[in-house]
Amino acid sequence: MTKISWPAGTLLAPVPPALISCGSVEKPNVMTAAWTGIICSEPVLTYVSIRPSRYSHEIISENKQFVINIPNLALAKATDFCGVKSGRNVNKFEACNITAAPCSKVKAPQIAEAPISLECEVLEIKSYGTHDMFLAKVLAVNVDDKYLNEKGALSLEKAGLLAYAHGFYYTLGRQIGKFGFSVEKTKTIKKRNSRLKNEKKHTKK
Amino acid sequence: MTKISWPAGTLLAPVPPALISCGSVEKPNVMTAAWTGIICSEPVLTYVSIRPSRYSHEIISENKQFVINIPNLALAKATDFCGVKSGRNVNKFEACNITAAPCSKVKAPQIAEAPISLECEVLEIKSYGTHDMFLAKVLAVNVDDKYLNEKGALSLEKAGLLAYAHGFYYTLGRQIGKFGFSVEKTKTIKKRNSRLKNEKKHTKK
């Protein structure tokens, strides 16, 4: 293994190829952005970085609201299309056959078909160069109930989320462990396996 | 499909379970952070959000440098371990059998075994609540040369990167398309397929 050094680049991966929706249910727009992330857990702060030339930049600057929609495999083509085309020239909701649905806390629409949608309110806009960063507070999270298990917990592995890495879209692959798996005691693992076995028995009844 | 509304949460996925290394080659530390992303393409700006209680917070606040290392499947256990344990009590490089290697632009070490490492210089530290955001400029990117193809381009799909989503680690799955695939003309696709076929022939010779 030898590592070679390249000039600065945006080679952070994988990142979410997020569908950023804005405007209103009546006049929605959507663009794809991979420059997004969580900044703080409490309060829940996030951001999306957008080029000033983009139509969504204009809308979000005015309305101070947007929604981060997390796409799955069924939305792969729409995700790519919404990152290539401009809402100035095409109604992307119509073109991609996706639905602008109302949110609970913001006027910006969510994409009904996305497994997860985060309602965001802009706190600050910062200009950094090619991109402006929209720092935002997450006000609510909308989850498709078909990914909830019988206890009401989210089984996200069923959603078939997409990832973006170095210019390519990927599916998420195999689940290889839960946070903390590297330090889990054998006893804890055995206990959980036995519990899961019991739960399965009860479900079968 | 029905979407239910939950209170605000950090449900953005997938995110990179990045190994953030800091300190020096002689006295390195490393922690795992998923609250990271690209903020601007030019200049290349990134960030990592860290709780003030963390040992790495102390080191990076002082040195103003860190490295974002992107882990692959071989580093899965180390990635989890470095997110659970504190460098105050354990030498994580020794415990995980990973190597602190010198960087080209910063004194902070990179993890030799990581497929990609981004050398970063802190521009600003912002307190937002549970997490402080370290806004940083990417100075150089180090890439393991075993993932370069014969033309010197990075074939990242070979690296076996990890993703983090809602408390679980995943592999990246199937590559489903390149940026722009949704608007690609049939002619372009045919042309590329024919080129790739020719390249394969030449490689076999």
Side-chain angles (χ1 to χ4, degrees), chain A residues 50-61:
Chain A
I50 305 176
R51 289 179 188 269
S53 58
R54 297 295 196 97
Y55 186 40
S56 294
H57 188 287
E58 192 181 314
I59 299 168
I60 300 172
S61 295

Side-chain angles (χ1 to χ4, degrees), chain A residues 72-158:
Chain A
N72 59 5
L73 188 55
L75 287 167
K77 209 169 169 184
T79 301
D80 184 63
F81 186 86
C82 294
V84 173
K85 295 287 183 180
S86 170
R88 283 200 186 90
N89 315 315
V90 58
N91 180 330
K92 298 194 219 176
F93 281 82
E94 274 182 28
C96 297
N97 198 22
I98 52 177
T99 316
C103 278
S104 63
K105 305 273 185 186
V106 299
K107 281 187 186 168
Q110 61 174 310
I111 295 171
E113 293 81 1
I116 301 166
S117 301
L118 287 77
E119 303 182 21
C120 302
E121 184 182 63
V122 175
L123 301 180
E124 215 179 336
I125 306 172
K126 306 207 155 222
S127 297
Y128 283 119
T130 52
H131 288 71
D132 287 353
M133 177 195 187
F134 292 77
L135 177 72
K137 190 171 176 180
V138 178
L139 301 182
V141 176
N142 303 292
V143 181
D144 191 327
D145 67 0
K146 77 174 156 206
Y147 306 121
L148 303 183
N149 64 23
E150 63 282 356
K151 284 177 177 168
L154 182 61
S155 298
L156 202 55
E157 72 282 3
K158 291 179 191 159

